[in-house]
Amino acid sequence: MLRPMGSGDLCIHVIGMHRSGTSATTGLLGQLGLGMPVDDDLVPATADNELGHFESRSIVQMNNRLFRHYGGLLFSPPRLVDGWQDDASLDDYRRDAARLFASAFGPRPVAWKDPRSCITLPFWRSVIDPPTAAVFVFRDPVAVATSLRARSGLPLVQGLAAWERYVRAAAHNLTGLRTLAVDYDHMVGDPAAWCGALVDFLAEVGVAVDPERHRHAEAFVQRDLRHHEAASAPAPGPATGAWVVLEALRQRQGYHPAWTTPDMGREPEWVDEILGLAQELETLRIAHASLLRSRGVRMVTGLWKTRATLE
């Protein structure tokens, strides 16, 4: 069991780009005793995440609403300016989000994740009551883009552009939070040490873990991470700038009582161009699919088939 030590009502944000180990990290925090989303709101396990995503379905849907509100999609997320979360147009969203979060989780301490929160974290920080802390997991951009291509068919250059936006936003949006930062490769390279680092982090933020839970959690993380290997691929040219960001984050690994944004330079112009094109393409695909489902198209298709049969 968890023994609260002043911050027993803690909420931990697990922050990181898709395919970067956030599911394994959140699952490990669950093994250490932190609350997970309630069963009827839990996103089910999939072939690429056999032990589970450990995500709240309703919070994922809320993040998707926020993306659409600002003209973004999952792999072409919006670029938001500081203070966007205070926009009066989000008042209804805030009320809905507070209600959804309260119903998605039981008593604190809890841990939650959704890679979209790299972008939307300022909104959730305005909704979720303190105390809060964060675990920030980051991974080599080419490995992430290669994994996304294998899982979702995403072009490498779009995966790299999405990595830039997600990871830069996360590094900025965590400012001021008690944060543990870790490189995915270190997680996979020594899962037991990663488990120990999380236990030490929980102690830093005021939550003690029962030793028996710690032992069981080590077995979980060894089993979960053993099959994860960093993908390898020739590095496309755009990855060069992303590695500047990665190196800046690698220099910041460990525990930070108050996270400060590292110097990463500005987001390259090509990122916005690639993500904008990807968003336009996806919008056209959605419109095309909707058109094919429309009654008029179905009627015309039926008439053509009938005509072909008669001829």
Side-chain angles (χ1 to χ4, degrees), residues 82-132:
D82 286 346
W84 69 271
Q85 69 275 11
D86 300 321
D87 191 329
S89 68
L90 297 178
D91 287 348
D92 289 342
Y93 288 71
R94 272 185 284 273
R95 285 189 289 269
D96 288 347
R99 174 181 53 80
L100 291 171
F101 196 88
S103 62
F105 291 93
R108 293 192 184 193
V110 299
W112 75 285
K113 54 90 50 168
D114 175 8
R116 299 162 186 80
S117 62
C118 289
I119 307 293
T120 62
L121 185 60
F123 172 84
W124 291 105
R125 290 182 68 174
S126 74
V127 168
I128 299 172
D129 292 333
T132 57

Side-chain angles (χ1 to χ4, degrees), residues 38-178:
V38 296
D39 289 345
D40 61 358
D41 189 44
L42 197 63
V43 173
T46 55
D48 57 294
N49 265 15
E50 296 175 359
L51 294 180
H53 294 267
F54 307 102
E55 292 178 358
S56 157
R57 190 190 309 273
S58 57
I59 289 175
V60 167
Q61 291 171 348
M62 174 58 69
N63 274 331
N64 283 334
R65 285 177 61 190
L66 289 168
F67 270 32
R68 290 192 298 270
H69 183 81
Y70 286 98
L73 297 168
L74 179 62
F75 293 123
S76 52
R79 181 169 59 183
L80 302 174
V81 299
D82 286 346
W84 69 271
Q85 69 275 11
D86 300 321
D87 191 329
S89 68
L90 297 178
D91 287 348
D92 289 342
Y93 288 71
R94 272 185 284 273
R95 285 189 289 269
D96 288 347
R99 174 181 53 80
L100 291 171
F101 196 88
S103 62
F105 291 93
R108 293 192 184 193
V110 299
W112 75 285
K113 54 90 50 168
D114 175 8
R116 299 162 186 80
S117 62
C118 289
I119 307 293
T120 62
L121 185 60
F123 172 84
W124 291 105
R125 290 182 68 174
S126 74
V127 168
I128 299 172
D129 292 333
T132 57
V135 178
F136 181 20
V137 187
F138 52 88
R139 185 183 184 187
D140 181 296
V142 175
V144 169
T146 303
S147 182
L148 286 171
R149 181 177 62 178
R151 185 192 70 170
S152 306
L154 204 70
L156 273 175
V157 68
Q158 187 182 350
L160 290 169
W163 187 96
E164 284 263 9
R165 181 151 298 171
Y166 270 91
V167 175
R168 285 175 176 274
H172 178 70
N173 292 334
L174 287 166
T175 299
L177 277 178
R178 295 172 292 174

Side-chain angles (χ1 to χ4, degrees), residues 7-48:
S7 292
D9 56 347
L10 184 73
C11 174
I12 293 183
H13 310 293
V14 180
I15 300 295
M17 172 61 179
H18 301 269
R19 314 305 295 161
S20 296
T22 55
S23 294
T25 298
T26 309
L28 177 53
L29 287 168
Q31 292 292 313
L32 292 172
L34 277 80
M36 299 284 103
V38 296
D39 289 345
D40 61 358
D41 189 44
L42 197 63
V43 173
T46 55
D48 57 294

